[in-house]
Amino acid sequence: MKKIQLLKICLLITCSAAAQQSKNAFISSLIQRMTLEEKIGQLNLLTSDMDITGPFMKAGYKKDIEAGLCGTIFNAYTPVYTRQLQEMALKTRLKIPLLFGYDVIHGHKTIFPIPLGEACTWDMSLLEKSARIAAIEASADGLQWTFSPMVDIARDPRWGRVAEGAGEDTWYGSQVAKAKVKGYQGSDLSSPNSILACVKHFALYGAIEGGRDYNTVDMSRRQMFQFYLPPYKAAVDAGVATVMTSFNEVDGIPSTGNKWLLTDLLRKQWGFKGFIVTDYTSINEMINHGIVKDEYEAGALALNAGVDMDMQGSIFSSQLKKLLQDKKITIAEINAAVYRILSAKYDLGLFKDPFRNCDTALATKEIMSAEHLRDAQMIAERSIVLLKNEHQLLPLKKEAKIALIGPLANSQRELIGNWSAAGDYTKAITLLDGIKSKTSNVTYAPGAHYSSDTMLLKKALQKQRLTVEDTANSAQMLAEAVALARRSDVVVMALGESQGMTGEAASRSDIRIPDSQKELLKAVYATGKPVVLVLMNGRPLTLEWEDANIPSILETWFLGTEAGNAIAAVLFGDYNPAGKLTMTFPRNTGQIPIFYNHKNTGRPLDVNNKYTSKYLDVSNEPLYPFGYGLSYTQFTYGAVSVSKQQITAADKLQVSIPVTNSGNYSGEEVVQLYIRDRVGSVTRPVKELKGFKKIFLEKGETRIVTFDITIEDLKFYDKDMRWTAEPGDFTVFAGPNSRDVQSASFSLK
Ligand code: BGC
């Protein structure tokens, strides 16, 4: 038996070595036949005019394709259009096929919750599934490459792009990174429904100062390695095919020109084999950064640092030839970049079948299929976080007379959120439609505009001029909504942000519910009717007043195509919510940055002692902590216990905690495990997530939930930057969120 297995393994190794050899031979011979211009063309990524995702556009991309001067196109899709462009590429001298990329961030046509919302499912199989479906639809629609996942750790909710990632935790973010890469790429890139994933933005983009987009990042190497780099590394370990640089600098050098980052760390230390693409015009932006004086120097810095593909900047096309003549770069560097890009095209099978993603019939069959929409609703339901539910106001009774109020209650565009790619918002199910499918006892009034701040609206909605619908009749709208509330038994209010207030270039210095909506909420609250607040937004908001006054609050993010059905299922109790936050909700913006895995400091909070680390005007505690989320049922936690008091490096420690469903509904709970290293050669966080289990318990059922802890869970970067576990005492915490935990101790010998 063993012999046969060994033989099989040897055969596999021989086959893959042979396959690698023939790939090498194919690409090398192609490179030998390429002119310098053709080589540089392969390093050139241009947007088509179908969509625009950045500041400016180079016209004439079609001419570049026809001349063999552009190897990859983004923002072009559909089998018909990509076929048309591919045919142009195949008329060039060497017939090298184009690669088609796009920002397929949370679904292609079937839109799933924004990534920050989807992360609240704490279910890796679902996160993988939505990426798989996105790949199936995108590949059926002409694409082979997505600019996803974004794995930037984010501790500052002012930054609009927190919507695109999995939140603040390093360990959790690393699990999500792996699941997403697997989902997009499948097990074999040559399968026509696999697409290349692209982990971004490498690196540290989430740590921009003040949460202001595109701003500077400055952090210690220790902070990078311990907290910010692991999710990118997890994606690399999962075999991600491509990496995108970030707009920010890393240790004083923009990522796009940072050789330490791209070559020493990513390629040499981590063993990344794929290709590196810049972010949109980020080579050009190195001039503004003040690291180079012109495009000529920018091109040299980027190529020398390890960049393979220039997104939309056209610097490689305009500068590399001259740089080579001047010996500022080498032909070996160009060849290596060309090799890596052709290698991705080869792995996808594009040389064998350049039209592998151009089948119109397949697109019709796959895109927004009934099955995909069912999954989108299921995932959307599981992304909803119940923040508060006093007196069991939820679930609603179908007989109740419901007033549905708010600018987001009947909106389709907002529901599919930012970066919704090719998503067709006209297919999105509104909350009004979702509620109507459950009861006819509902009446709707918008009540307010997204905001009365016209400057903010102009910027968020990217409009030069606002239309009448954006601002007019505020007083009348409010009066109608209040009157409607008075005539009803219960009010459901859909408030939050317009999708344009979130995502890229959408930082906010004040993360409250915008003024006009808040005014509406207060006016409706004053009627004395019970209010359920359904939040739709792309970031943690500050909700102190809401939490103090509104009995029920549901965080629904931007849930995607099936949003209305998913929220209605939760409102009426057809699905019992189980989502848990992956980003801390602060009490006010002054608390930012705020995150659960902070350090203890030398003067940890003591409310009776003035000279301890705190604010005078707000508590240190967030409003809703990391990992927080309620259910319609109650989960009661027993005492946590450990299998041993002391372990060695070879041992496994078992941590157990009994969890009982002591409420009135069956439901799911995410049981979380945190560890604190009491003393380290460098200071350690007050706790760090190291595991979780999502369980389903019937009413009255108890389960003992267990976790295995090994030495791997205790490792960190020590004072000499070695990844190691140090002997000593540890506390282990288990519970429903990062705050409400039970603890036990053990030590490592
Ligand atoms: C964003 C990237 C995106 C790219 C292409 C940039 O502005 O930062 O995340 O992938 O545009 O659309």
Side-chain angles (χ1 to χ4, degrees):
M1 184 62 181
K2 270 197 173 149
K3 245 188 186 168
I4 295 178
Q5 258 173 3
L6 211 66
L7 264 172
K8 271 189 185 164
I9 292 171
C10 289
L11 203 67
L12 265 176
I13 294 174
T14 325
C15 283
S16 75
Q20 186 61 39
Q21 245 176 25
S22 68
K23 171 176 157 179
N24 279 347
F26 177 86
I27 300 176
S28 304
S29 113
L30 190 52
I31 291 179
Q32 268 167 24
R33 282 176 287 138
M34 289 168 86
T35 63
L36 179 61
E37 286 77 7
E38 284 164 343
K39 287 178 183 175
I40 294 171
Q42 287 304 307
L43 315 188
N44 189 18
L45 166 62
L46 293 178
T47 177
S48 93
D49 45 13
M50 196 169 178
D51 198 350
I52 168 111
T53 50
F56 74 90
M57 228 184 70
K58 178 176 186 279
Y61 65 97
K62 286 187 184 163
K63 275 200 193 109
D64 281 357
I65 298 174
E66 279 165 344
L69 302 179
C70 171
T72 305
I73 289 289
F74 71 122
N75 296 337
Y77 54 94
T78 74
V80 173
Y81 190 44
T82 54
R83 178 181 287 274
Q84 213 182 73
L85 299 182
Q86 193 66 291
E87 276 167 356
M88 289 179 188
L90 295 179
K91 284 188 193 129
T92 60
R93 199 177 71 89
L94 292 170
K95 303 183 178 25
I96 299 176
L98 288 170
L99 170 70
F100 291 97
Y102 195 47
D103 290 280
V104 180
I105 307 296
H106 47 115
H108 179 60
K109 289 275 186 182
T110 300
I111 299 297
F112 294 92
I114 54 164
L116 184 63
E118 200 192 33
C120 297
T121 60
W122 294 63
D123 186 328
M124 294 307 133
S125 65
L126 293 186
L127 296 180
E128 184 179 329
K129 185 173 216 161
S130 68
R132 187 85 288 275
I133 293 173
I136 289 171
E137 292 196 359
S139 61
D141 212 17
L143 298 162
Q144 299 104 15
W145 184 24
T146 175
F147 304 139
S148 172
M150 175 187 113
V151 304
D152 306 325
I153 292 300
R155 294 169 166 183
D156 191 332
R158 290 172 297 182
W159 188 41
R161 302 198 80 168
V162 301
E164 296 174 53
E168 74 193 35
D169 187 59
T170 308
W171 183 87
Y172 189 74
S174 303
Q175 312 304 311
V176 175
K178 281 189 265 185
K180 287 292 172 193
V181 171
K182 233 168 112 191
Y184 289 130
Q185 297 192 169
S187 50
D188 177 7
L189 282 177
S190 71
S191 150
N193 66 23
S194 288
I195 57 177
L196 309 173
C198 179
V199 68
K200 70 185 188 189
H201 307 84
F202 194 60
L204 322 180
Y205 188 14
I208 45 171
E209 289 168 357
R212 202 187 70 215
D213 211 357
Y214 314 124
N215 204 0
T216 303
V217 171
D218 191 8
M219 72 168 73
S220 69
R221 287 280 154 111
R222 179 174 307 286
Q223 182 85 342
M224 281 182 209
F225 278 91
Q226 189 67 46
F227 298 107
Y228 282 83
L229 292 175
Y232 310 101
K233 168 80 159 52
V236 170
D237 291 344
V240 74
T242 72
V243 171
M244 186 187 293
T245 66
S246 56
F247 289 124
N248 56 278
E249 63 181 61
V250 169
D251 210 0
I253 301 173
S255 304
T256 304
N258 196 315
K259 189 169 191 176
W260 170 77
L261 187 71
L262 304 182
T263 298
D264 298 351
L265 181 70
L266 179 62
R267 289 202 195 284
K268 292 192 184 150
Q269 221 171 299
W270 293 359
F272 173 65
K273 299 268 184 299
F275 73 79
I276 300 172
V277 63
T278 69
D279 203 348
Y280 203 109
T281 59
S282 67
I283 303 184
N284 318 50
E285 290 165 25
M286 291 202 288
I287 302 170
N288 284 340
H289 276 286
I291 196 84
V292 289
K293 73 169 188 300
D294 54 19
E295 296 192 345
Y296 174 82
E297 283 186 4
L301 192 66
L303 192 82
N304 286 329
V307 166
D308 299 305
M309 192 185 276
D310 173 2
M311 184 194 287
Q312 190 57 12
S314 297
I315 298 270
F316 279 0
S317 359
S318 65
Q319 306 298 329
L320 291 192
K321 201 169 171 186
K322 171 99 172 63
L323 285 165
L324 189 64
Q325 281 162 5
D326 297 347
K327 300 203 168 38
K328 300 285 184 206
I329 59 169
T330 65
I331 190 66
E333 282 175 310
I334 293 182
N335 285 345
V338 174
Y339 185 96
R340 290 192 275 254
I341 291 160
L342 295 181
S343 173
K345 293 184 177 182
Y346 186 98
D347 292 343
L348 286 163
L350 280 172
F351 287 102
K352 277 199 188 125
D353 181 9
F355 301 106
R356 61 162 236 169
N357 303 108
C358 298
D359 177 351
T360 315
L362 183 72
T364 312
K365 174 169 166 268
E366 293 292 6
I367 288 175
M368 296 190 99
S369 70
E371 194 190 331
H372 294 176
L373 292 172
R374 259 198 312 277
D375 285 332
Q377 182 181 335
M378 191 258 294
I379 294 173
E381 288 167 359
R382 282 151 185 78
S383 305
I384 295 174
V385 185
L386 178 63
L387 297 174
K388 190 178 170 198
N389 194 24
E390 235 171 40
H391 313 306
Q392 300 207 313
L393 176 56
L394 288 176
L396 295 176
K397 286 165 202 66
K398 289 192 179 141
E399 316 77 68
K401 239 189 194 166
I402 300 171
L404 176 64
I405 293 174
L408 288 144
N410 195 27
S411 144
Q412 286 188 299
R413 173 63 194 96
E414 308 310 315
L415 294 180
I416 64 169
N418 207 267
W419 280 124
S420 38
D424 177 357
Y425 70 82
T426 65
K427 302 257 169 57
I429 309 292
T430 66
L431 180 53
L432 179 59
D433 288 340
I435 294 181
K436 276 188 180 160
S437 73
K438 304 277 180 193
T439 173
S440 54
N441 281 335
V442 60
T443 314
Y444 155 73
H449 300 288
Y450 293 119
S451 170
S452 57
D453 178 345
T454 46
M455 275 313 285
L456 180 136
L457 280 179
K458 267 188 201 171
K459 288 188 213 160
L461 307 177
Q462 287 191 311
K463 286 183 177 173
Q464 289 307 321
R465 268 198 273 129
L466 296 172
T467 60
V468 176
E469 298 91 74
D470 294 323
T471 50
N473 300 331
S474 308
Q476 193 190 334
M477 279 167 87
L478 189 119
E480 278 169 11
V482 170
L484 172 63
R486 289 214 172 91
R487 298 196 300 270
S488 314
D489 300 325
V490 60
V491 188
V492 175
M493 299 198 65
L495 307 181
E497 301 178 290
S498 142
Q499 59 80 27
M501 292 178 198
T502 81
E504 186 174 349
S507 296
R508 294 177 64 202
S509 70
D510 178 350
I511 56 170
R512 281 179 294 190
I513 293 178
D515 49 3
S516 54
Q517 298 186 58
K518 186 92 169 232
E519 197 187 323
L520 170 68
L521 178 62
K522 287 189 170 170
V524 170
Y525 168 76
T527 65
K529 296 290 177 175
V531 174
V532 175
L533 174 56
V534 173
L535 292 167
M536 297 184 189
N537 48 293
R539 53 158 63 78
L541 300 172
T542 49
L543 301 165
E544 272 212 301
W545 185 88
E546 292 78 357
D547 182 68
N549 295 289
I550 304 299
S552 290
I553 309 178
L554 271 184
E555 175 54 80
T556 75
W557 314 107
F558 296 116
L559 286 179
T561 314
E562 289 293 318
N565 286 333
I567 301 170
V570 167
L571 285 175
F572 292 100
D574 298 333
Y575 176 73
N576 180 1
K580 302 270 191 174
L581 301 176
T582 60
M583 225 183 143
T584 304
F585 275 46
R587 290 178 182 277
N588 64 27
T589 33
Q591 285 185 317
I592 298 170
I594 183 166
F595 47 96
Y596 85 95
N597 51 343
H598 57 84
K599 302 287 185 74
N600 200 40
T601 80
R603 293 187 178 190
L605 171 72
D606 172 355
V607 280
N608 298 315
N609 183 349
K610 178 160 194 225
Y611 295 97
T612 58
S613 179
K614 60 174 179 292
Y615 300 101
L616 294 177
D617 55 351
V618 64
S619 107
N620 281 11
E621 286 299 312
L623 187 62
Y624 304 121
F626 176 85
Y628 175 84
L630 304 174
S631 163
Y632 292 157
T633 195
Q634 297 282 303
F635 294 102
T636 316
Y637 282 70
V640 63
S641 60
V642 289
S643 58
K644 290 176 197 154
Q645 297 303 314
Q646 196 175 60
I647 58 165
T648 65
D651 286 339
K652 225 185 228 169
L653 179 80
Q654 198 173 66
V655 180
S656 315
I657 187 155
V659 184
T660 302
N661 180 346
S662 50
N664 294 324
Y665 300 83
S666 56
E668 295 152 301
E669 169 70 330
V670 179
V671 183
Q672 300 159 39
L673 179 95
Y674 298 85
I675 296 181
R676 174 169 182 182
D677 186 347
R678 309 294 316 187
V679 177
S681 61
V682 297
T683 59
R684 308 285 299 120
V686 293
K687 54 172 81 91
E688 287 179 296
L689 183 72
K690 288 295 170 180
F692 67 88
K693 292 225 167 117
K694 189 166 185 177
I695 57 168
F696 175 85
L697 292 181
E698 293 290 356
K699 203 161 92 174
E701 192 184 347
T702 297
R703 174 114 36 105
I704 311 241
V705 178
T706 60
F707 298 92
D708 287 335
I709 293 177
T710 70
I711 185 107
E712 290 308 312
D713 302 308
L714 309 180
K715 289 187 174 168
F716 67 103
Y717 287 95
D718 74 357
K719 71 173 192 322
D720 302 315
M721 291 298 282
R722 282 175 315 202
W723 180 244
T724 185
E726 292 174 350
D729 296 335
F730 294 83
T731 306
V732 44
F733 308 89
N737 60 63
S738 61
R739 180 188 62 200
D740 305 317
V741 286
Q742 319 273 331
S743 68
S745 311
F746 68 94
S747 60
L748 173 70
K749 229 168 113 177

